[in-house]
Amino acid sequence: MEDRKAAGPSRAARRGRWWRLRQRWRMVGVFEINPEHEFYQLTSMIKEGMHSSIQTTMDTSGQDTPAAEQFAAEETQTHEGFQMQTFAASVFAQQRRSLDITEEEYMNSLCSDQCYLQFVSNSKSKADFFVTNDKRFFLKTQSKREVSFLLSNLQAYMAHLEKYPHSLMVKFLGVHRIVIPNQIKKYFIVMQSVFYPDDRINIRYDIKGCEVGRRSNPDTGGKQIIKVLKDNNFEGQTIAFGQEKSWFAHQVKVDAAFLQELNVLDYSLLLAQQPLHRDELDGKHSLANLVIRTTKSLDLEDSPTGSDPPTVPLLKETLGEEGSVQPQAAAGEGIPLQEIGCPEKETRSDSELQEFHEHHRRLLPNCKNCNHVIDGPEQRYFVGIIDIFTVYGWKKRLENMWKSLRYPGRAFSTVSPAKYSRRFCQWIQDHSQ
């Protein structure tokens, strides 16, 4: 009895300290999941389970195109004190390869000795968000309904990304379920962080294309607070994509049409920006950089050779007849001299850009997170479409009726997928230049 009395205040004191730390850390948006954190045990088990799951895919030779049965595959691995289920492992392994993420770096990031970070969100789903210590990957707990929706539409999702390899859609990298007997059963997904690397990002937005409830207080109170602003905060501003404007608007339209087919609404465009440094402005026009960017932007294994020469711009200027990179090509024989000598402005012809766009691609920047990064004339933008699990079912239809009465004539988020898609694309069109 005395031992229990002695132990009681100690536990209460620890809970009190943790509560105070939690309140302070909430102010900065993310905090480290150290041994005193309530989720430390859970994230440690996730790391152990992920290590075994990734090791399995490393030991299995991958296929470029997963077979139909692999989309429905489930694997359960038993560990001390918990089980880890992995869904469609080979499908997501192929997805990682297509994004130039090796299994080694994926494992190093997700399973390192460094603690995960918890990202505090005001998400209505009450999901838990974890971030790898290098901030490259997000882990988000999901409901069974949301996971079932993703897995039932996984083939369509992968087909969309295969047709549009530079899609702005969030990139899912894994779906799992962890079971701790008599404690918890949690589904979680792993996805690429849109805002990576975030060292120099100076402003962030979550855009839905409507007005009701779409303003955040930008005041930080002098503290180092990460603020995610909304549509109404963006009033009077534009996104300066330069020559990538038409590609961006088209890709948003294509992605929104895909989500409309899935009967989805309430998705968001994550948007962040940072100024480009002079060395980045100069470097992206160098011959070596353009060779690298062209290689990243095209699937060279599928590039035609010999009697069927490549028709995609820049590829024919940076590749030899057999599809090999020619980094020593003379400037006058390959990429136009304007590209190399005039870093102050983009000079690719409209026809070259159009030909790239006809292949549903763009010239990607030379960085790790290139699918979510677009360089404008002066700013680097981070963009991605997220939150794609809200289906327009009877509950949302009732919510639409209620909001129509409460907000007559105003734009709110709960509308039909067709209307949501049109309005979303129109917002992009109106705010891009």
Side-chain angles (χ1 to χ4, degrees), residues 222-234:
K223 298 176 181 176
Q224 295 297 315
I225 302 173
I226 296 175
K227 281 282 186 177
V228 179
L229 305 180
K230 299 180 181 179
D231 303 57
N232 294 335
N233 299 100
F234 201 83

Side-chain angles (χ1 to χ4, degrees), residues 14-136:
R14 284 199 298 271
R15 284 197 297 270
R17 284 198 302 272
W18 171 240
W19 184 87
R20 287 190 294 274
L21 284 172
R22 193 175 169 84
Q23 298 311 304
R24 183 176 47 139
W25 281 329
R26 278 182 185 275
M27 296 301 293
V28 296
V30 295
F31 49 88
E32 192 174 77
I33 302 177
N34 59 27
E36 294 184 356
H37 193 290
E38 61 178 329
F39 287 133
Y40 182 75
Q41 180 190 26
L42 174 62
T43 55
S44 296
M45 290 180 174
I46 288 176
K47 284 184 181 183
E48 182 182 339
M50 290 294 297
H51 188 281
S52 297
S53 177
I54 299 168
Q55 188 63 56
T56 300
T57 59
M58 291 173 69
D59 296 338
T60 305
S61 58
Q63 299 177 349
D64 289 337
T65 305
E69 62 270 15
Q70 291 175 313
F71 286 88
E74 296 181 21
E75 182 181 359
T76 301
Q77 295 176 314
T78 301
H79 302 265
E80 185 177 353
F82 72 99
Q83 288 184 329
M84 175 77 86
Q85 284 181 284
T86 301
F87 301 89
S90 58
V91 176
F92 288 109
Q94 192 277 331
Q95 165 85 317
R96 297 191 291 270
R97 286 194 297 274
S98 72
L99 296 170
D100 198 25
I101 301 171
T102 68
E103 295 300 88
E104 289 79 6
E105 60 185 329
Y106 189 59
M107 178 183 286
N108 290 341
S109 183
L110 283 161
C111 309
S112 74
D113 293 334
Q114 295 181 305
C115 296
Y116 283 174
L117 308 174
Q118 186 179 13
F119 176 78
V120 179
S121 167
N122 59 354
S123 170
K124 294 179 181 179
S125 67
K126 298 182 180 179
D128 295 312
F129 295 83
F130 307 128
V131 192
T132 55
N133 200 274
D134 59 7
K135 300 183 181 179
R136 189 173 180 185

Side-chain angles (χ1 to χ4, degrees), residues 302-400:
D302 293 337
S303 296
T305 58
S307 60
D308 185 17
T311 60
V312 180
L314 296 183
L315 181 63
K316 56 191 167 197
E317 292 133 359
T318 56
L319 301 182
E321 292 185 357
E322 300 302 321
S324 59
V325 177
Q326 302 294 318
Q328 302 301 322
E333 299 172 0
I335 298 169
L337 284 172
Q338 303 99 297
E339 291 279 5
I340 303 168
C342 301
E344 281 75 17
K345 60 182 180 180
E346 297 284 350
T347 55
R348 290 193 303 278
S349 70
D350 290 340
S351 61
E352 283 179 316
L353 285 174
Q354 181 61 31
E355 199 169 357
F356 239 121
H357 297 170
E358 286 173 358
H359 288 73
H360 310 306
R361 298 173 186 266
R362 63 185 173 94
L363 190 60
L364 297 172
N366 182 22
C367 60
K368 281 288 186 184
N369 193 26
C370 56
N371 278 65
H372 289 301
V373 174
I374 300 178
D375 284 348
E378 297 180 357
Q379 298 279 334
R380 167 164 289 182
Y381 295 94
F382 297 78
V383 290
I385 297 174
I386 65 163
D387 295 339
I388 64 171
F389 296 128
T390 302
V391 177
Y392 195 55
W394 65 269
K395 288 185 178 179
K396 288 297 176 183
R397 292 174 188 273
L398 289 175
E399 187 178 336
N400 170 264

